[in-house]
Amino acid sequence: MQHNTELSVAEQDDISRNKTVAVLAYILFFLPLLVAKDSRYAMYHANQGLILLLTGLVANVVLGLIPVIGWLLLPVANLAVFVLAILGMVSAARGERKPMPLIGGLELIKAPS
């Protein structure tokens, strides 16, 4: 976790200007792609939001196809996705670039240089 004292002025400005978009990226991952495409901070959280969406989709499809046991595990998986979304939103609101547990290490959306 980076502390704001370790960040450059440009990075702090990027975070403060795009914090709301970063939080909303966990609901609409593509929002930063439309309104903050030059923001490394917003793109980081857009990437996390996309990973979360894909994880939820895969979990729902796979568990939905498994009779009984899968159907019983489906609410647990959806709750886990919801909890990860809340953790991501809190991280974004705090100005952090903290990857989500287990799935946050993937990079599907490249941040601008």
Side-chain angles (χ1 to χ4, degrees):
M1 177 172 65
Q2 294 177 324
H3 298 300
N4 284 343
T5 57
E6 299 172 8
L7 299 174
S8 72
V9 174
E11 288 173 310
Q12 288 178 2
D13 185 48
D14 180 28
I15 291 169
S16 65
R17 281 187 291 114
N18 295 296
K19 204 176 272 191
T20 302
V21 173
V23 170
L24 292 174
Y26 289 91
I27 299 169
L28 300 168
F29 80 89
F30 58 85
L31 186 63
L33 300 170
L34 299 174
V35 298
K37 58 185 167 217
D38 295 329
S39 169
R40 290 178 53 84
Y41 184 70
M43 286 300 139
Y44 175 82
H45 289 286
N47 180 67
Q48 294 289 291
L50 176 59
I51 292 167
L52 187 62
L53 172 68
L54 294 175
T55 300
L57 287 173
V58 169
N60 276 276
V61 168
V62 170
L63 292 175
L65 293 174
I66 301 171
V68 184
I69 293 173
W71 301 335
L72 294 173
L73 292 176
L74 196 55
V76 175
N78 286 326
L79 180 61
V81 168
F82 178 72
V83 168
L84 288 174
I86 297 299
L87 290 174
M89 288 177 182
V90 169
S91 173
R94 289 183 176 172
E96 301 171 341
R97 288 186 191 146
K98 188 175 176 183
M100 289 179 291
L102 301 174
I103 61 172
L106 300 170
E107 187 177 5
L108 302 176
I109 299 174
K110 303 282 185 195
S113 302

